[in-house]
Amino acid sequence: FFFFKQKTAYEIAQRLVGSEMCIRDRYAGDRKTMQALQMKDWLDQQIQEKAEKKKLEKEGIKGYAEQTATITVMRKSAEEELKDKRFDMYKAAQEQNLLLIKEKKEREAYEKTQRMAKDAKEIEFTVTNDFMTENPATCTSVVSDNRVKKYHWKGMNAEQKKKILDEMASQVEDKKKKKELDKECEKLWADQEEAKRQELIRQTLLKQQKERDMLKAMKETHVAQKNEKKEKWPNYYGDKLPHEKPEAQLTAHFIIPFKKKKKKKKK
C-alpha cells in the first residue's frame, strides 16, 4: 500500500514558478484594489449617513425649538387672556358688591325712617287719644250724664266697680273651693283604692289558707284510708304466708348469708 500526503496551499504556492507566479500576483493585486474600493465606498456611505443623521438631528432640534416657541407664545397669550378675564370678573364682582352695599344701606335707611314714623305716630296716639289718656269725658253716655258706657271699664261708677270686684272675688273663692273638693275627691279615691287593695290581699291570703287546709285534710284522709286498708287486708296481694307476720316475712326475704372469716394462724 502507498500513502500520499495532501499538500497545503502554502506549499503549492512555493512550488509555482514563472508565469504561474505572475498570474497569482495579478489576481492578488486586483483583489486588494477591489477591497480598497469597497472600503472607500463603505466609508463614503458611513460619512454620508452620518451627515444626513446630523442634518436630521439639526432639523429635529430646530423643529422642536420652533414648536416650543409656538407653544410658549400660545401659553403666554392664553395666560394673559385668562388674567384679563379674571380681572374683569373681579371688577364686575366688586361693582356688584358695591351695588348691593348701596341697596342695603338705602333699604336700612328706609326701614329706619318707616320705623321712626311708626313710633312717632304711636307716641302721638298714646299721648293724644282719649281712650289711652283715660279721658273721663269719653265714659259719659250720650243718653244721660248719670250713665256710663258699658264697654268702657274706666268710665264705670263705684257701685258697678264694686259689683264686678265682688263677682271676681266670688269666682276666686269658688275656684278655691272647687280645688279643695277635687283634692278631697282624689284623697277619697286613693283611700278607696287602698281599701280595695287590702281586701284583695286579705282574700288572697284566705284562699291560700283554705287551699293549704284542704290539702292537709286530703293528706290525712289518704293516710287514714291507707291504714284502714292495711288493717282490713294485711295480705292484699297474696305474697305473704298466712302464719307469718308481714314484718317477719319481710325480714326473712332480706336475710343475707354471713360467712365467718377464717383466722390465719401465726407461724
Side-chain angles (χ1 to χ4, degrees):
F1 295 97
F2 295 94
F3 296 94
F4 294 95
K5 183 181 178 183
Q6 188 177 359
K7 295 182 179 180
T8 61
Y10 178 75
E11 292 175 350
I12 295 171
Q14 289 181 352
R15 296 174 64 83
L16 295 176
V17 293
S19 61
E20 293 177 356
M21 291 293 290
C22 293
I23 292 169
R24 187 194 65 181
D25 294 339
R26 182 163 57 85
Y27 288 160
D30 292 341
R31 188 175 67 255
K32 289 180 180 180
T33 303
M34 187 178 297
Q35 289 178 353
L37 291 174
Q38 288 178 355
M39 183 65 71
K40 185 179 179 183
D41 292 340
W42 181 78
L43 290 173
D44 292 340
Q45 185 178 359
Q46 292 292 322
I47 291 168
Q48 187 177 0
E49 288 179 358
K50 191 173 182 180
E52 289 178 357
K53 187 176 181 181
K54 286 183 178 180
K55 185 178 179 181
L56 290 173
E57 288 179 357
K58 287 181 179 179
E59 289 178 356
I61 293 170
K62 185 177 179 181
Y64 177 76
E66 292 177 354
Q67 186 178 4
T68 305
T70 305
I71 292 171
T72 304
V73 172
M74 292 174 66
R75 181 180 177 183
K76 187 176 181 181
S77 177
E79 288 179 352
E80 290 178 355
E81 186 178 356
L82 180 61
K83 187 176 180 181
D84 294 338
K85 286 183 179 180
R86 287 182 176 176
F87 180 75
D88 294 339
M89 289 173 64
Y90 175 75
K91 191 174 181 180
Q94 193 173 12
E95 292 176 356
Q96 184 68 20
N97 290 335
L98 293 174
L99 182 62
L100 292 173
I101 292 170
K102 184 179 179 182
E103 290 178 356
K104 183 180 180 181
K105 287 182 178 180
E106 291 177 355
R107 185 173 63 255
E108 289 178 352
Y110 176 75
E111 290 176 356
K112 185 177 180 181
T113 305
Q114 292 293 324
R115 188 168 58 254
M116 291 176 67
K118 185 178 179 181
D119 293 342
K121 188 176 180 180
E122 186 175 355
I123 292 170
E124 183 181 0
F125 175 77
T126 305
V127 173
T128 59
N129 188 265
D130 293 334
F131 182 79
M132 298 299 294
T133 56
E134 300 181 359
N135 187 4
T138 59
C139 304
T140 306
S141 177
V142 295
V143 179
S144 176
D145 294 337
N146 59 351
R147 294 187 179 181
V148 294
K149 296 178 180 180
K150 60 181 180 180
Y151 56 84
H152 204 300
W153 169 263
K154 299 297 181 181
M156 292 182 182
N157 54 27
E159 186 178 356
Q160 291 173 333
K161 288 182 180 180
K162 186 175 181 302
K163 185 178 179 181
I164 292 174
L165 291 174
D166 293 341
E167 183 68 24
M168 289 175 62
S170 176
Q171 290 178 0
V172 171
E173 190 66 23
D174 292 342
K175 188 175 181 180
K176 189 183 293 185
K177 289 180 180 180
K178 185 176 181 300
K179 189 175 181 180
E180 291 177 356
L181 183 62
D182 293 340
K183 190 175 181 181
E184 187 176 357
C185 290
E186 288 180 359
K187 185 179 179 182
L188 291 173
W189 181 82
D191 294 340
Q192 186 178 2
E193 291 295 322
E194 181 65 20
K196 288 181 179 179
R197 190 178 70 84
Q198 293 292 337
E199 181 65 20
L200 181 62
I201 293 171
R202 191 177 68 82
Q203 293 294 335
T204 305
L205 293 174
L206 288 174
K207 184 178 178 181
Q208 291 177 356
Q209 185 64 33
K210 285 182 180 180
E211 289 177 354
R212 285 195 295 270
D213 295 340
M214 189 182 296
L215 289 173
K216 186 177 180 181
M218 289 174 64
K219 187 175 181 182
E220 291 176 354
T221 304
H222 290 164
V223 172
Q225 289 177 357
K226 185 178 179 181
N227 294 332
E228 184 180 357
K229 183 180 177 181
K230 283 183 178 181
E231 291 176 359
K232 191 173 182 180
W233 295 292
N235 191 11
Y236 184 77
Y237 295 101
D239 55 346
K240 299 176 183 178
L241 298 176
H243 61 277
E244 291 183 355
K245 294 183 179 179
E247 292 80 4
Q249 186 179 1
L250 183 63
T251 307
H253 279 291
F254 287 93
I255 291 175
I256 300 172
F258 178 76
K259 294 182 180 180
K260 292 183 179 181
K261 293 183 181 180
K262 293 181 180 181
K263 293 183 180 181
K264 296 181 180 181
K265 294 180 180 182
K266 292 183 181 181
K267 295 181 181 181

